Amino acid sequence: MHELAKTGRWLGGTTPTGYSSESVQKVTTDGKAKKACKLKLIPEEAEIIKLIFDLYIEYDSLTAPESELMKLGIKTKNNKHFTRFSIKSILQNPVYMTADETAYNYLVKENTDLNSDKKDFDDIYAIMAYNRTRQEKGKAVTYLPPDKWIVAVCLHPGIIPSKIWISVQDSLNRNKSKAYRKPRNNKALLTGLLYCTCGNRMYPKISKQKTANGKPIYIYVCKLKERSKRTLCNSKNANGNTLDVAVIEQIKLLEDDKGSFIDQLEQSRKFYTRNRVAYEDQIASMQKNKSDIDVMRQLLSVFKDSIDEMTVEQKRSAIRTLVRKVVWDGVKAHIILFGAQDDDIEYPPLSQFSNETNAAEDDDILTKTHRGEDIKRDFTVNRLI
Ligand SMILES: [Zn+2]
């Protein structure tokens, strides 16, 4: 890594926003031509980098730049929204810092393994830091502190003046120590299962309100709504306390009316099978379906009898044995049971109901349909919220 660092080469991989990779011929000391890569500035992307630094400095926060960039419709190289994580990783990347005397002093002070002389920090080029991240198998990337970096001045131009880049690092460190871990809601049952009609996940958040018994009320909020500050999605939050209970109650009801529900399920599967597969497969498949349905029957029965006695963790996994996904449209929750493929699921349109008076009239189960293997159960919990 030291040898590579000294050559100041770009080692390949995803180039940082602001640059592309460019091939250059290099002649080594023994006269052989060698191919190497260096980073080349992309002016339009460099403007995005400057904007990200400006926004961070203006707001002293990572969430404000995130929603500002969304509003402006500015996306990453891969056409995704910038997240606070991608913004932070840009702010922390020393590749953007111009290599001048201030940068040199900073890198010496931070005890980096420096492979260029002071005279190389001539305010023309920028640095590359190797060994900045570590990724252990199956784990998220962790960023290593500067004293682990192997640094060299390279042949690409910097984008951010060193003084600004360094002050942003100080600010990020300050904010890190201030930051508290978001209190993880350990009551919410639908985390990971609940989706907004816009297709994004909804996650639980403790609200300031409390129930009559003084229990904290949590709400489920659409991630896109929160991140875009309502500019890209403005659907209604769901009351978590109420929705979780309502979903459980609805699943219990499936057991109560299993005569009709399971029968319908069975019928639909037979129909489905008859139309799709050859005769021999049909028999096997029908037998398999029969056992699936027996399992379903047992699951529903166990669910109904024991759910109330379960711990939160057990409830979560019990719900996951039956429910593939829950879509909240602002008024109704649509429960999609097992067997549904992700792309088969049509998100229900945003509910027609604009006020609670209308919605409350249909407080009970609204529809119960099945197409192919998707079994949906829709209901409204609006009155309760
Ligand atoms: Zn949404």
Side-chain angles (χ1 to χ4, degrees), residues 3 24 133 141 181 240 311 322 327 354:
E3 288 312 305
V24 284
T133 58
V141 174
R181 279 184 72 85
T311 64
L322 295 160
V327 182
S354 53

Side-chain angles (χ1 to χ4, degrees), residues 185 187-191 194 204 218 220 239-251 312 316 319 379 381:
N185 188 301
K187 289 272 154 54
L189 300 179
L190 301 177
T191 313
L194 188 65
Y218 55 96
Y220 289 108
N239 177 319
N241 306 52
T242 317
L243 185 60
D244 284 0
V245 171
V247 166
I248 286 179
E249 290 311 310
Q250 289 295 318
I251 298 172
V312 171
R316 276 192 198 124
I319 292 171
F379 63 92
V381 290

Side-chain angles (χ1 to χ4, degrees), residues 67-238:
S67 51
E68 283 300 316
L69 292 171
M70 274 189 185
K71 270 185 232 168
L72 295 167
I74 295 173
K75 294 189 173 180
T76 68
K77 274 183 201 261
N78 304 322
N79 202 30
K80 294 206 169 117
H81 292 300
F82 281 99
T83 63
R84 54 197 311 264
F85 302 105
S86 53
I87 290 168
K88 191 175 178 196
S89 119
I90 284 172
L91 293 171
Q92 286 178 318
N93 196 341
V95 79
Y96 301 120
M97 172 169 68
T98 51
D100 59 7
E101 204 183 326
T102 311
Y104 177 83
N105 292 335
Y106 169 82
L107 294 166
V108 169
K109 193 189 96 209
E110 292 292 330
N111 243 336
T112 62
D113 184 344
L114 205 48
N115 290 269
S116 301
D117 294 333
K118 194 173 183 179
K119 66 173 168 41
D120 297 328
F121 287 77
D122 54 7
D123 206 9
I124 299 172
Y125 297 116
I127 62 154
M128 191 90 81
Y130 305 86
N131 200 39
R132 275 183 61 234
T133 58
R134 176 175 297 151
Q135 184 162 29
E136 276 161 42
K137 225 180 159 189
K139 287 192 179 158
V141 174
T142 49
Y143 285 91
L144 300 174
D147 62 4
K148 296 279 186 296
W149 299 355
I150 299 166
V151 180
V153 175
C154 295
L155 294 175
H156 64 275
I159 298 175
I160 305 297
S162 60
K163 277 201 176 86
I164 293 176
W165 190 87
I166 293 164
S167 74
V168 165
Q169 307 316 303
D170 293 342
S171 162
L172 285 169
N173 287 331
R174 261 199 318 276
N175 289 342
K176 187 167 70 188
S177 54
K178 259 196 303 193
Y180 61 100
R181 279 184 72 85
K182 252 190 221 168
R184 238 180 76 85
N185 188 301
N186 33 32
K187 289 272 154 54
L189 300 179
L190 301 177
T191 313
L193 285 182
L194 188 65
Y195 287 76
C196 176
T197 39
C198 75
N200 283 275
R201 275 177 204 244
M202 299 184 81
Y203 72 98
K205 229 182 133 175
I206 306 226
S207 77
K208 292 189 184 96
Q209 292 158 298
K210 297 215 155 117
T211 64
N213 311 324
K215 280 190 197 162
I217 289 180
Y218 55 96
I219 48 172
Y220 289 108
V221 185
C222 167
K223 217 162 184 161
L224 184 66
K225 175 181 172 177
E226 170 130 318
R227 285 177 49 201
S228 71
K229 300 246 186 310
R230 295 167 174 260
T231 53
L232 300 182
C233 172
N234 195 19
S235 65
K236 266 172 88 177
N237 300 336

Side-chain angles (χ1 to χ4, degrees), residues 353-368:
F353 303 122
S354 53
N355 60 62
E356 300 197 0
T357 335
N358 283 342
E361 287 168 15
D362 301 285
D363 198 35
D364 290 318
I365 302 156
L366 288 182
T367 54
K368 194 166 64 180

